[in-house]
């Protein structure tokens, strides 16, 4: 578990270096530790090393972890695909959802958000690398979804998220993230509450920060390589 603290420190240094290189304040980039497939012990080790926000992809796995770690005031973010029959546990256990791509899911999250909790922070996922297989709305389609979400009182639209197809080409990484930044700036012109760009992972967080990421989602560089491929029950 000592390795998790050392890895976290290394990731924080990468973030600070990338922010400084982009003439940004390091504190303007928030680190989301992606703990999918890892257990409560690994999350606790990261917590003890000062990490406060964690991201999860699989509803049942996540709810088990959130429940086991209820004593720690962790900020939980849901970043995986959401099926419509899983919206209630997501609305009940998370502070943020990064992966909104359909109005129906937004409506169901709104309806299930408990009254004693603040509105759920949500991001619209945009497909910025264009393959048919990947999730997210097509660039341009985020506007209509943003308008629909703005009518839902129990959701608070904060911005955009993307998971581009991996590429080692930094120029391509930058171009895709620049596209997401421009889409976010367009939304921001109409809605001052938009302040978040969730983009960048273990292998490309520097390019994302150069293009304005405010949340980077990092798993492998903190917790190590994930073992099994997970499937949702
Ligand atoms: C798994 C995952 C990550 C973390 O990816 P790493 O390459 O391990 O840093 C980030 N975002 C999403 C949506 C993920 O599913």
């Amino acid at each position: 578990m000592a390795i998790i603290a050392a890895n976290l420190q290394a990731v924080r240094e990468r973030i600070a270096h990338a922010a400084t290189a982009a003439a940004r304040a390091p504190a303007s980039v928030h680190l989301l530790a992606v703990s999918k497939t890892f257990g409560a012990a690994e999350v606790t080790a990261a917590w003890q090393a000062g990490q406060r926000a964690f991201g999860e992809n699989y509803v049942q796995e996540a709810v088990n972890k959130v429940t086991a770690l209820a004593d720690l005031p962790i900020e939980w973010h849901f970043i995986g695909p959401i099926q419509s029959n899983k919206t209630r546990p997501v609305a009940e256990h998370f502070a943020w959802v990064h992966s909104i791509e359909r109005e129906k899911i937004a409506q169901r999250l709104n309806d299930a958000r408990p009254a004693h909790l603040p509105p759920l922070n949500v991001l619209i996922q945009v497909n910025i690398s264009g393959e048919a297989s990947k999730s997210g709305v097509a660039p341009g389609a985020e506007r209509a979804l943003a308008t629909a979400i703005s009518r839902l009182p129990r959701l608070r639209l904060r911005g955009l998220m993307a998971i581009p197809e991996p590429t080692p080409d930094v120029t391509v990484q930058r171009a895709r993230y620049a596209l997401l930044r421009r889409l976010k700036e367009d939304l921001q012109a109409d809605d001052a509450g938009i302040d978040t760009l969730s983009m960048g992972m273990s292998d490309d967080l520097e390019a994302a920060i150069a293009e304005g990421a405010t949340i980077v989602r990092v798993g492998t560089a903190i917790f190590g390589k994930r073992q099994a491929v997970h499937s949702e029950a």
Side-chain angles (χ1 to χ4, degrees):
M1 296 293 168
I3 188 81
I4 292 177
N7 287 347
L8 259 176
Q9 189 52 34
V11 170
R12 289 182 189 130
E13 284 167 15
R14 280 177 66 191
I15 291 170
H17 188 264
T20 305
R24 301 181 53 197
S28 68
V29 184
H30 301 276
L31 173 59
L32 182 66
V34 178
S35 45
K36 64 180 178 215
T37 77
F38 292 95
E42 285 88 350
V43 173
T44 302
W47 166 273
Q48 285 166 348
Q51 180 63 30
R52 293 294 176 265
F54 291 83
E56 290 284 336
N57 290 58
Y58 308 105
V59 175
Q60 194 52 55
E61 178 195 333
V63 169
N64 293 343
K65 234 174 281 180
V66 171
T67 307
L69 294 166
D71 287 349
L72 301 181
I74 287 173
E75 182 177 274
W76 291 102
H77 293 229
F78 193 80
I79 62 175
I82 310 174
Q83 296 158 3
S84 57
N85 63 346
K86 299 272 174 62
T87 44
R88 179 166 298 281
V90 172
E92 289 175 350
H93 292 288
F94 288 83
W96 286 72
V97 172
H98 292 219
S99 43
I100 305 284
E101 52 179 344
R102 286 196 288 149
E103 185 179 349
K104 178 185 170 195
I105 297 292
Q107 180 75 54
R108 291 180 66 98
L109 288 169
N110 178 78
D111 296 349
R113 183 64 170 174
H116 69 277
L117 294 176
L120 183 62
N121 295 293
V122 300
L123 305 176
I124 295 172
Q125 184 172 349
V126 182
N127 180 353
I128 53 171
S129 53
E131 322 87 276
S133 63
K134 288 285 149 106
S135 312
V137 302
E142 75 288 344
R143 295 198 68 88
L145 188 49
T147 302
I149 292 171
S150 70
R151 301 194 185 103
L152 299 172
R154 302 297 295 143
L155 302 187
R156 183 169 165 216
L157 181 63
R158 298 292 296 271
L160 302 177
M161 175 272 216
I163 316 173
E165 181 74 0
T167 168
D169 185 335
V170 175
T171 308
V172 175
Q173 293 173 5
R174 287 281 299 261
R176 289 168 173 168
Y177 288 139
L179 167 62
L180 197 71
R181 171 170 50 75
R182 287 194 298 271
L183 298 177
K184 177 249 195 186
E185 287 165 356
D186 286 350
L187 288 183
Q188 219 164 13
D190 298 334
D191 178 350
I194 303 279
D195 59 4
T196 301
L197 265 181
S198 168
M199 59 189 197
M201 314 199 290
S202 292
D203 289 337
D204 65 357
L205 65 87
E206 283 82 4
I209 290 169
E211 295 298 344
T214 65
I215 299 179
V216 291
R217 308 177 310 268
V218 178
T220 309
I222 297 171
F223 296 107
K225 235 174 125 52
R226 288 179 290 275
Q227 294 300 327
V229 175
H230 199 290
S231 67
E232 184 83 320

